[in-house]
C-alpha cells in the first residue's frame, strides 16, 4: 500500500465476539475460512496489503481455535469494541454485514463485554417487568391479534373489547394493520385502546392493547407517542421492516415507557436454511434483547412455518439465557397455533412464555361465543 | 366470527402484484400454496373465518393461474393498493413480510400500478443523471472504497486524493467506516471531501466522494446534511442495517439532492438459497429502485461470494429493465473484483454498469504507484 499512516492506533483492547458455525472439511479449512471472516467483517482488505501491524493486530477480528460442532466447526471471532463505533447498526454490520451474503457460515451466538453492553439499554420490562405490569405471576401470558385486515376501526374495537372481556392479557394489532383507509392509525388506536380500557374497568384486569407502530423510521416515534396518549399499553413493532435501531430508540425512550412486542416479518427469512444466515437463537432472541424488545414472536413448529423443535428451544434459550446483563424476555411461539395445542406449548416452553393465538380464537365451537372461547384459552394456559 | 362490520369496504380496485416461484408437485398444489400466500400476506386469517364477502373479495390477494417455471411454478398474486397504506414498510410487508419465513417460496418480481408507483419518487439520478453529474457518457463508471478500517482520517484523505488523481469516478467510504474513534464521521468526511475537491481542481474532473451515512435512522438525515455541507458528492447507504425507508427519505429530499449508492450488508442474506427469500433481481434491483438508490452494489460471480452468472444477469436486468416509470440505475458488481477481470466485466454488463474494485487497486505491481494503477483501471474500462 502506498499510504503510511502517521496517526498511531491505540484501542482499549476490549472485544466483542460472534460464534460462527462454518461448513468446512477439516479444522484447518475451518480456521482458514474464519480468518477470511476476520478480514471480511472489519478491514475488507487482503491480509497482505494491510498497511500496518497496528491495524492487523488491533482492528482485524481474531479467531479462537475451531471446535467441532454438529458436522461443522464453531469458531468464535473477537472484534475490537471500537469497530462498532457505539452504534447498533455498525455492531450488527461487524457481526454479520457481509457474511450474511455467504453460504456456509452461520452466526450462532453473540457476546458483548460490559463496556459495549452498557451502551445499549436493552429491554425496559422483560419477563419480570411485563408480569408486574399485567399482574400475572404464575402462568404463560396470553396474546392475540386484531384482524383481519379490512375490518373498520369500529369493528376492530368491538373485537378488542370482547377479547379483553374474555381474559386475554395482550391484544396486538395484526402486523398487517398500518395506516390503511379502512382502519387509519389515528382512528383505530384510540378506539381500540378505549375498548380495552372499558373492558378492564368491567373485569378489574389490566389487559394491554399494543398498536402496530411499524412505519417509516421518522414516523415511528410520533405514532408511538400518539399511541401512548390514546391509552395504548404497549407497542407492536417489526424491526425487519423499519429497522432494528428504531426499536432500540423506542425501548430507550423513558417518557414513552411502553413494552415492545417484536414481530419477525421480512427479516425472519435470514434464519432460514441450515447453514447460512442467523441462527434462530440470535435473530429472535439475542438481537431482539439487544434492541430492547420485551417479547419476541417467532414461528413454533407444526404451524404454518417450518421450524424444528431444536430451533424453538434455541430461540427460547436466546430469549431467557443469561446475556451480558440484559433482561430475559418472553419467547412468543406463534404462526398458526391452536387452542388444542396450548397444553403442549406450556409443556414445551414452561410458564415463562407468551402464547399467541390468532385465527383459532375465532373458530368457535357450537354454542360458544368469543368471550367464552377466550376464557377457555385462559383456563387451558392456567393448567 | 362473532363480529359484523357495519362499515362498508369500498376500495379502488387497483392492485399491485408479486410474482412468486413456488416449489410444488403439480399445478394444483402450486395454486393451493398460492392461495395460502394470498391469505398469509393480507388477512392472516383462515379463509373459512373471514367475516364478510367484501374482505374476501377486496382485501385478500388474488392469484393468477400457475405457470410452469424452472422445475417449479410461478404464480402472480395481486393485492389491493390500499393494503400498502401508502408506506414503503407496509408495501414490503404485504409483498414478503411473513412469506420470508417460509421455505419453498421466492419473490421473483414486483409490479406496481401507476397510482401506487406515483407515491414513491424513486431514484433521483439513475444512470442518466449520474452520467451527467460525472460528465462520463460512454464507458462504465469506476468506483472504489476508502479502507482499511483503522486508518486515520488524514490517511484516508490522502488515499482519496490519490484515487481521485488517478481518475476514479466515485470514491466511497468502505461500508464499515461509520463513526469510530480512529476516523470519526465529523473529521473524516470534511477531510476526504476536501482531498477529492483538491484533486478535481488539479485534474479538471468531477470525481465524487460518497461518505457512509448508515447509522441510526434518526441520525441519517443529520449525517447526510453534514456530508453535503462538507462537500460530499453522494452518499453510501446500507438499507439492510438502517432500513429501506430511510434510503427512500434520503432520495426524496430535494434540498439534499445527492446520488445514493446502496450496499447489501446484512439484508443480502435474504437472496441466498435457490428457492426461498428474494430473487436477486428483486432485492438488488427492484427494491433499491423503489427506495431511490441510483446504483446498487452486489456480489459478482467468482469473487468472495457465491453468485451465479444467471443471478448477476437478473440483477442487472432488475436495475435497468422498464419498471413502473422508475429510472434505470447502475448495477455495481463487486465483492473481490480485480483489474484482471475488468474487460470480462465490461463484456458481461455492457457499458451501463459501475465497476467497484477495492483491495486489488492496492496490489501494486513493481514500479507502479496507486495513481498509475487507477489510470490502468480507467484505461481498461475505456476499452
Amino acid at each position: 500500500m502506498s499510504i503510511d499512516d502517521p496517526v498511531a492506533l491505540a484501542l482499549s483492547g476490549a472485544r466483542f465476539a460472534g460464534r460462527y458455525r462454518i461448513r468446512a472439511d477439516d479444522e484447518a479449512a475451518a480456521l482458514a475460512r474464519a480468518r477470511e471472516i476476520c478480514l471480511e467483517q472489519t478491514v475488507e482488505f487482503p491480509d497482505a496489503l494491510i498497511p500496518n501491524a497496528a491495524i492487523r493486530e488491533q482492528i482485524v477480528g481474531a479467531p479462537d481455535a475451531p471446535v467441532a460442532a454438529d458436522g461443522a466447526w464453531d469458531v468464535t471471532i473477537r472484534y475490537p469494541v471500537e469497530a462498532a463505533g457505539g452504534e447498533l447498526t455498525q455492531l450488527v454490520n461487524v457481526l454479520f454485514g457481509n457474511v450474511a451474503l455467504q453460504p456456509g457460515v452461520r452466526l450462532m451466538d453473540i457476546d458483548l463485554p460490559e463496556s459495549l453492553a452498557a451502551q445499549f439499554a436493552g429491554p425496559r420490562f422483560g419477563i419480570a417487568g411485563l408480569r408486574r405490569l399485567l399482574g400475572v405471576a404464575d402462568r404463560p401470558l396470553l396474546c392475540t391479534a386484531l384482524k383481519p385486515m379490512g375490518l373498520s376501526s369500529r369493528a376492530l374495537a368491538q373485537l378488542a373489547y370482547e377479547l379483553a372481556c374474555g381474559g386475554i392479557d395482550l391484544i396486538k394489532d395484526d402486523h398487517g394493520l398500518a395506516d390503511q383507509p379502512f382502519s387509519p392509525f389515528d382512528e383505530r388506536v384510540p378506539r381500540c385502546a378505549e375498548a380495552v380500557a372499558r373492558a378492564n374497568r368491567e373485569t378489574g384486569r389490566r389487559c394491554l392493547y399494543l398498536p402496530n407502530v411499524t412505519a417509516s423510521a421518522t414516523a415511528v416515534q410520533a405514532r408511538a407517542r400518539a399511541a401512548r396518549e390514546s391509552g395504548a399499553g404497549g407497542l407492536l413493532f417489526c424491526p425487519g421492516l423499519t429497522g432494528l435501531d428504531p426499536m432500540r430508540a423506542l425501548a430507550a425512550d423513558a417518557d414513552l415507557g411502553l413494552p415492545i412486542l417484536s414481530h419477525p416479518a421480512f427479516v425472519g427469512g435470514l434464519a432460514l436454511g441450515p447453514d447460512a444466515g442467523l441462527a434462530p437463537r440470535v435473530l429472535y432472541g439475542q438481537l431482539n434483547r439487544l434492541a430492547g424488545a420485551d417479547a419476541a414472536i417467532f414461528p413454533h413448529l407444526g404451524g404454518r412455518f417450518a421450524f424444528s423443535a431444536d430451533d424453538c428451544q434455541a430461540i427460547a434459550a436466546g430469549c431467557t439465557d443469561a446475556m451480558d446483563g440484559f433482561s430475559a424476555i418472553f419467547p412468543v411461539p406463534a404462526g398458526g397455533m391452536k387452542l388444542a395445542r396450548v397444553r403442549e406449548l406450556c409443556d414445551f416452553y414452561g410458564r415463562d412464555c407468551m402464547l399467541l393465538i390468532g385465527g383459532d380464537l375465532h373458530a368457535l365451537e357450537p354454542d360458544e361465543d368469543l368471550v367464552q372461547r377466550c376464557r377457555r384459552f385462559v383456563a387451558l394456559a392456567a393448567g
Side-chain angles (χ1 to χ4, degrees), chain A:
Chain A
M1 183 165 217
S2 62
I3 307 276
D4 285 325
D5 194 343
V7 184
L9 193 63
L11 304 188
S12 66
R15 295 208 164 217
F16 64 99
R19 177 163 59 89
Y20 300 87
R21 184 149 297 173
I22 296 175
R23 195 199 321 136
D25 289 337
D26 54 35
E27 183 176 346
L31 187 58
R33 186 78 193 76
R35 290 196 193 283
E36 290 169 9
I37 298 170
C38 291
L39 294 167
E40 184 76 53
Q41 297 305 102
T42 54
V43 293
E44 210 189 327
F45 214 64
D47 186 59
L49 300 177
I50 292 174
N52 63 56
I55 289 179
R56 187 175 287 110
E57 288 159 16
Q58 296 186 53
I59 297 281
V60 175
D64 288 356
V67 176
D70 208 11
W73 299 86
D74 276 8
V75 183
T76 296
I77 296 179
R78 300 178 191 281
Y79 305 101
V81 294
E82 289 85 353
E87 295 181 299
L88 182 56
T89 44
Q90 175 60 9
L91 173 60
V92 171
N93 191 25
V94 174
L95 283 165
F96 209 60
N98 270 8
V99 194
L101 286 82
Q102 297 183 329
V105 182
R106 169 164 264 209
L107 182 62
M108 302 299 290
D109 202 23
I110 64 181
D111 185 27
L112 309 186
E114 203 177 314
S115 63
L116 187 56
Q119 296 177 32
F120 301 100
R124 176 171 294 276
F125 294 87
I127 289 179
L130 208 41
R131 284 199 179 284
R132 263 197 307 275
L133 211 56
L134 286 159
V136 177
D138 53 0
R139 59 159 173 81
L141 301 186
L142 307 185
C143 182
T144 192
L146 296 178
K147 52 170 128 175
M149 182 194 288
L151 286 180
S152 68
S153 302
R154 200 193 308 178
L156 291 167
Q158 174 63 19
L159 259 184
Y161 172 75
E162 295 184 25
L163 293 162
C165 286
I168 302 296
D169 299 307
L170 304 104
I171 300 171
K172 72 174 185 72
D173 280 347
D174 199 27
H175 80 286
L177 298 185
D179 188 32
Q180 294 105 334
F182 33 85
S183 58
F185 185 88
D186 288 342
E187 176 191 273
R188 176 179 81 247
V189 174
R191 286 194 186 195
C192 292
E194 189 280 323
V196 170
R198 182 159 48 94
N200 282 343
R201 286 193 298 274
E202 294 172 14
T203 62
R205 297 184 71 260
R206 303 185 213 157
C207 174
L208 303 177
Y209 166 54
L210 289 77
N212 177 25
V213 296
T214 307
S216 297
T218 46
V220 168
Q221 283 288 344
R223 286 205 195 163
R225 298 284 168 137
R228 190 181 195 287
E229 280 162 28
S230 296
L235 303 170
L236 178 77
F237 192 72
C238 301
L241 297 172
T242 298
L244 207 56
D245 191 79
M247 187 162 78
R248 179 204 58 74
L250 286 175
D253 185 341
D255 291 338
L256 194 63
L258 292 177
I260 298 169
L261 176 55
S262 173
H263 187 286
F266 198 65
V267 85
L270 285 173
L272 277 183
D275 71 351
L278 297 151
R281 167 189 173 81
V282 175
L283 180 60
Y284 298 101
Q286 295 182 318
L287 286 185
N288 271 318
R289 285 165 84 182
L290 185 57
D294 300 290
I297 299 172
F298 61 93
H300 185 67
L301 63 135
R304 300 192 309 275
F305 302 83
F307 277 50
S308 70
D310 283 352
D311 289 338
C312 295
Q313 293 287 13
I315 293 168
C319 288
T320 56
D321 274 359
M323 177 190 164
D324 308 324
F326 294 110
S327 300
I329 65 173
F330 280 103
V332 189
M337 294 300 101
K338 294 177 186 297
L339 283 196
R341 297 186 64 189
V342 166
R343 289 312 311 159
E344 171 202 338
L345 287 163
C346 293
D347 290 343
F348 190 94
Y349 291 101
R351 68 167 201 176
D352 275 343
C353 68
M354 185 187 296
L355 304 180
L356 169 53
I357 295 186
D360 194 56
L361 268 191
H362 302 278
L364 305 179
E365 308 270 327
D367 300 320
E368 186 182 49
D369 65 20
L370 183 60
V371 173
Q372 288 165 331
R373 195 162 174 86
C374 291
R375 288 187 182 140
R376 196 140 71 82
F377 185 15
V378 177
L380 283 164

